[in-house]
Amino acid sequence: HTMLVALEQRLYATYSGGNKMSVARFWRKQQNRYNLIGNQCTVCGKYFYPPRGFCPVCRREGKIVEHQFKGTGKVVTFSIIRSSSGNFKLLTPYVLAIIELDEGSRLTTHLVCDIDKVYIGMPVKRVFRKLGEEGSSGAIFYGTKFVPA
């Protein structure tokens, strides 16, 4: 039990991005991250990822429905990370990019490619990859990354 609590605390710290997200909510949202599930406002047509509780454009008049993103898009901007700490140290150098999905939403993600070949406007597609692991015999975490299309 103690190991599970410690693991959940590390998960919270690692993957919540500093936001106040409960462990239960973290696990409930896994499907959204694994499958790029967001939502769309049927009133104005805008798409949102991560999902939102209401449309920031239409407010109360908006009607939000779940949307499965295609998982394709383009690089809007990127940074090459050459120095990092923790679990990311072994990945350096790597590309951190803002991707604009074909539906219009943007997200920050790891772009798996040759660092000398990335460019703004590069077409990309999502892939399901290993994000990290909790020691040599602990839990392995998977999620969405992007690669050149």
Side-chain angles (χ1 to χ4, degrees):
H1 174 71
T2 305
M3 286 178 56
L4 182 58
V5 170
L7 173 59
E8 288 178 343
Q9 288 171 345
R10 282 192 292 278
L11 280 172
Y12 171 79
T14 304
Y15 295 103
S16 67
N19 298 325
K20 299 291 183 189
M21 182 187 299
S22 69
V23 172
R25 181 172 177 220
F26 171 84
W27 288 110
R28 274 196 318 273
K29 298 294 182 185
Q30 285 302 313
Q31 290 304 314
N32 295 22
R33 285 189 280 276
Y34 287 167
N35 299 305
L36 274 185
I37 296 173
N39 47 33
Q40 178 187 21
C41 176
T42 59
V43 175
C44 69
K46 292 207 180 281
Y47 294 91
F48 306 104
Y49 185 84
R52 298 186 179 210
F54 66 92
C55 177
V57 176
C58 301
R59 302 279 183 192
R60 290 186 184 149
E61 289 77 31
K63 178 166 175 18
I64 296 289
V65 295
E66 190 173 90
H67 176 75
Q68 170 73 56
F69 285 88
K70 291 187 292 187
T72 54
K74 64 182 178 185
V75 174
V76 175
T77 189
F78 66 92
S79 183
I80 298 172
I81 309 300
R82 297 182 188 279
S83 178
S84 189
S85 62
N87 292 340
F88 297 104
K89 186 182 252 182
L90 299 174
L91 297 175
T92 56
Y94 64 92
V95 180
L96 191 63
I98 295 178
I99 304 297
E100 183 174 283
L101 298 171
D102 289 343
E103 294 90 342
S105 288
R106 292 182 176 187
L107 61 111
T108 304
T109 185
H110 181 183
L111 179 58
V112 182
C113 68
D114 184 333
I115 64 170
D116 297 323
K117 300 211 171 151
V118 63
Y119 60 92
I120 292 175
M122 181 171 81
V124 293
K125 65 181 179 181
R126 78 177 177 113
V127 293
F128 190 71
R129 296 276 172 92
K130 179 179 173 180
L131 297 177
E133 60 185 58
E134 184 67 28
S136 60
S137 61
I140 299 174
F141 311 108
Y142 294 91
T144 299
K145 293 185 180 185
F146 282 77
V147 296

